[in-house]
Amino acid sequence: MRDLVQRIDSATPAGRDRTIDALRALAILGVVLGHWLVTALVVDSGTVHGASPLRHMPQLAPVSWVFQTLAVFFLVGGQTAAHGYAAARGRGETYRRWLGARMARLFRPVAAVLVVWSVVAAVMLASGAGVETVRTLAMLVLSPLWFLLVFAVLTAVTPLVARLHPLWALAVVLHVDLVRFGLGGPAWLGWINVLAGWLVPYCLGVSWARGGLRERRTGWALLAGGAATTAGLVLWGGYPAAMVGVPGAGISNLNPPTLAAVCFGLAQCGAALLVRDRLRRVLRRPAVWAAVALLNLSAMTVFLWHQTAMMAVTAVGLLAGRPLPGLHTAPDGVGWVLARLGWLPVFAGALLVCWAAFRTYEQGRRASRGGSRVVREQRSVPVTMGRG
């Protein structure tokens, strides 16, 4: 292991900005832990249905502020896409070839998920499982894939985004919410924000790649302005405090994105920019950098299979013959939260099994033992994310 760590560190180009990879890794961990903490599968009369502790314990809303890291994903995604496209043009590579390579890396692992879950759903239905149970499980796997479509569209228009100021996208989000909530407009207008809302941090990432956002005062302005605006919208604007979707809630900040979620994302982007210097110092440690590089190498695998890992543990837990606290019980109290924390290492172990089984679909072929291969593959890892 020590040799692998040293090879990865020595193979990393001296000019590489490791903080980009670290921010992506932190965002991945935020998505995974966030889903594991706010998603419950409750067994009731032989049927499995989804539930959220945020519905029963709204005082836990600050948890969503920590683990809802979607804006950081799009910030890093915009930065890496713009940087990659500029490098491709410098090599004389066509836009079509550049985009095709990124799309292949983004969608190739999805095929494995769809095939596996098509078989699983068919077997469950054939064995007598209820349609509602199968639907609940399938939605947990498939609903996060909305990100891939949004990210693919934004990646495709990266050359155009370079000419767009983030304030234009923010203005669209503002006017959509004004019409929806202030003027009683149709709810479907909110879906415009699926692209416009995440275009805001993506534009910031593109600007970052082009040499912007370098001054710390920019980070402080985004953090302070975004946080203050979000607080005002929650306290006086009627927006929910939770920055993820809560079953049964009248308004979701994430499905589709609201102005509050986008402003919260601006604060996250500001915080990400401010921690770069500290991250840069930490990432000088070879072991830390190796962990970040390896996680980025399997970013899509971790994202696509973390919900499956949780469901696999939940299914195996049914063999106990009784509902297990934090796994099959309703998330309606502190006891559930404490029990769920105890299950996190088990979920992580199941995810490790999924990673071992399906990582080759992301990498294309097995990574060699040498650190140079790891770093070379890791350079082009597309950013990934999940739903809230």
Side-chain angles (χ1 to χ4, degrees):
M1 179 61 72
R2 181 175 298 178
D3 290 341
L4 175 61
V5 167
Q6 292 299 329
R7 283 197 294 269
I8 293 174
D9 186 64
S10 61
T12 303
R16 183 181 182 84
D17 187 353
R18 300 184 180 189
T19 62
I20 300 295
D21 306 286
L23 289 173
R24 182 189 295 114
L26 289 173
I28 292 167
L29 293 176
V31 168
V32 171
L33 292 175
H35 281 171
W36 286 350
L37 288 171
V38 304
T39 303
L41 292 173
V42 180
V43 180
D44 183 17
S45 302
T47 300
V48 176
H49 61 87
S52 172
L54 295 176
R55 181 177 183 181
H56 300 279
M57 295 173 283
Q59 67 272 20
L60 295 180
V63 173
S64 68
W65 306 345
V66 176
F67 295 108
Q68 201 278 72
T69 53
L70 303 186
V72 177
F73 275 114
F74 281 102
L75 173 74
V76 174
Q79 199 277 349
T80 54
H83 186 271
Y85 179 62
R89 290 189 63 186
R91 297 190 300 266
E93 189 174 311
T94 65
Y95 164 79
R96 182 176 180 179
R97 183 176 180 182
W98 168 80
L99 182 63
R102 291 188 66 84
M103 292 300 102
R105 187 62 183 270
L106 193 65
F107 287 103
R108 187 170 55 224
V110 176
V113 175
L114 295 179
V115 170
V116 169
W117 269 96
S118 295
V119 174
V120 169
V123 170
M124 290 181 66
L125 291 172
S127 61
V131 174
E132 185 62 28
T133 294
V134 176
R135 179 181 179 277
T136 297
L137 300 181
M139 286 301 296
L140 283 177
V141 174
L142 299 178
S143 58
L145 300 185
W146 67 263
F147 149 75
L148 296 177
L149 297 177
V150 176
F151 189 76
V153 171
L154 294 183
T155 300
V157 298
T158 296
L160 298 178
V161 172
R163 307 174 185 178
L164 183 67
H165 196 282
L167 286 179
W168 286 107
L170 184 62
V172 172
V173 176
L174 169 64
H175 284 85
V176 166
D177 273 19
L178 180 62
V179 173
R180 275 205 301 162
F181 302 132
L183 302 178
W188 61 261
L189 280 176
W191 296 106
I192 297 175
N193 287 349
V194 172
L195 282 176
W198 302 122
L199 183 58
V200 174
Y202 194 88
C203 282
L204 289 174
V206 172
S207 176
W208 184 2
R210 292 167 62 86
L213 311 183
R214 301 294 183 183
E215 298 183 1
R216 288 186 62 82
R217 63 182 180 182
T218 303
W220 282 114
L222 289 170
L223 175 59
T229 305
T230 303
L233 291 171
V234 170
L235 293 174
W236 301 296
Y239 289 85
M243 290 298 150
V244 297
V246 179
I251 299 176
S252 169
N253 271 323
L254 208 57
N255 191 31
T258 64
L259 181 62
V262 175
C263 290
F264 177 76
L266 290 176
Q268 283 187 315
C269 291
L273 295 174
L274 291 172
V275 301
R276 285 180 298 175
D277 291 339
R278 180 168 296 183
L279 282 176
R280 190 173 290 112
R281 290 192 294 269
V282 173
L283 292 168
R284 292 172 184 166
R285 303 173 184 174
V288 176
W289 166 240
V292 169
L294 290 171
L295 178 56
N296 274 273
L297 180 62
S298 300
M300 278 293 292
T301 303
V302 170
F303 165 66
L304 290 172
W305 291 97
H306 74 279
Q307 293 284 56
T308 298
M310 181 190 71
M311 287 184 277
V313 173
T314 304
V316 172
L318 293 174
L319 298 177
R322 59 182 178 84
L324 298 178
L327 199 61
H328 309 118
T329 54
D332 54 3
V334 176
W336 183 92
V337 175
L338 295 177
R340 175 49 65 100
L341 291 174
W343 285 107
L344 295 184
V346 185
F347 296 161
L351 179 57
L352 184 61
V353 173
C354 293
W355 170 83
F358 297 103
R359 67 188 179 93
T360 55
Y361 290 94
E362 177 175 3
Q363 299 171 16
R365 61 185 185 274
R366 290 187 181 275
S368 68
R369 295 180 180 180
S372 61
R373 168 58 192 261
V374 172
V375 174
R376 184 169 64 250
E377 285 288 344
Q378 185 267 343
R379 289 175 184 173
S380 61
V381 173
V383 65
T384 59
M385 57 185 278
R387 70 175 177 86

